[in-house]
Amino acid sequence: MGYPEKVLAAGEHVVIHRRPHWKRLLGPILILLVVTAIAAFGAGYVNTTDWDETAVNIVMIVIGVVWLIIVVWLVLWPFLNWWTTHFVITDRRVMFRHGLLTRSGIDIPLARINSVEFRHGVLDRVLRTGTLIIESASHDPLEFQDIPQVEQVHSLLYHEVFDTLGSEESPS
């Protein structure tokens, strides 16, 4: 699915659209597995007790509610935040949008970009992700973390900036 056309200007085209790298979801997935295992163990233990049926039902409901609260807070919420975060490069600007209930974002016209860098450590290199750093004419450098295929995005953005400027330095 492409980035919504309604936010683009007339004649503007999306060059690349990325969400943060899937590694951001590893923690929530691990939490889901651990919390589910603990809840299942707790429910299994409660079923083996000789407690009154009403007490067993109440404890099972408590286990279910605690499991649900933890899953919504530490699994579903981070997933929805990941899903609603967009890093988009068009032929005119770089857009970054994030947030579920409260949305925020920034647009950087390509003509205002002074430099583009990327940074990634060993694990990021293995996962083919990293941090993209964009320095614009009017702001401190902006860091966009966990950009998938950061080297490819860096190169593409570099080419787009120079193509937009019509610079003689533009790589062919």
Side-chain angles (χ1 to χ4, degrees):
M1 179 172 86
Y3 195 70
E5 297 292 324
K6 66 181 179 180
V7 300
L8 301 178
E12 186 176 19
H13 302 286
V14 172
V15 176
I16 195 166
H17 174 214
R18 296 275 196 265
R19 284 195 173 86
H21 195 268
W22 55 263
K23 81 174 189 176
R24 280 197 185 174
L25 299 175
L26 290 177
I29 290 170
L30 182 62
I31 289 169
L32 176 64
L33 294 174
V34 169
V35 168
T36 301
I38 291 170
F41 178 78
Y45 175 75
V46 169
N47 272 335
T48 63
T49 63
D50 58 352
W51 297 346
D52 180 49
E53 185 177 335
T54 305
V56 169
N57 288 340
I58 290 173
V59 172
M60 292 294 243
I61 289 171
V62 168
I63 290 172
V65 168
V66 169
W67 177 87
L68 184 63
I69 289 170
I70 291 172
V71 166
V72 167
W73 180 37
L74 297 177
V75 177
L76 184 60
W77 190 258
F79 172 77
L80 292 174
N81 277 320
W82 172 84
W83 187 257
T84 59
T85 299
H86 302 273
F87 180 81
V88 180
I89 299 173
T90 71
D91 55 349
R92 297 181 189 174
R93 59 188 164 154
V94 174
M95 297 185 293
F96 181 75
R97 304 280 189 272
H98 64 97
L100 184 61
L101 298 176
T102 304
R103 301 271 303 153
S104 62
I106 187 168
D107 291 0
I108 306 168
L110 293 179
R112 297 255 181 190
I113 295 175
N114 290 339
S115 68
V116 182
E117 314 173 37
F118 70 91
R119 178 178 57 234
H120 54 170
V122 175
L123 181 61
D124 285 343
R125 289 178 69 186
V126 170
L127 295 175
R128 297 177 52 193
T129 184
T131 301
L132 188 69
I133 304 159
I134 299 174
E135 185 178 338
S136 65
S138 61
H139 292 96
D140 291 334
L142 297 170
E143 293 190 7
F144 302 99
Q145 297 180 352
D146 296 327
I147 301 294
Q149 300 173 337
V150 71
E151 290 185 55
Q152 175 190 5
V153 173
H154 169 265
S155 177
L156 184 118
L157 182 56
Y158 176 79
H159 289 286
E160 284 294 321
V161 167
F162 279 105
D163 288 347
T164 297
L165 297 176
S167 172
E168 294 174 5
E169 299 176 42
S170 176
S172 300

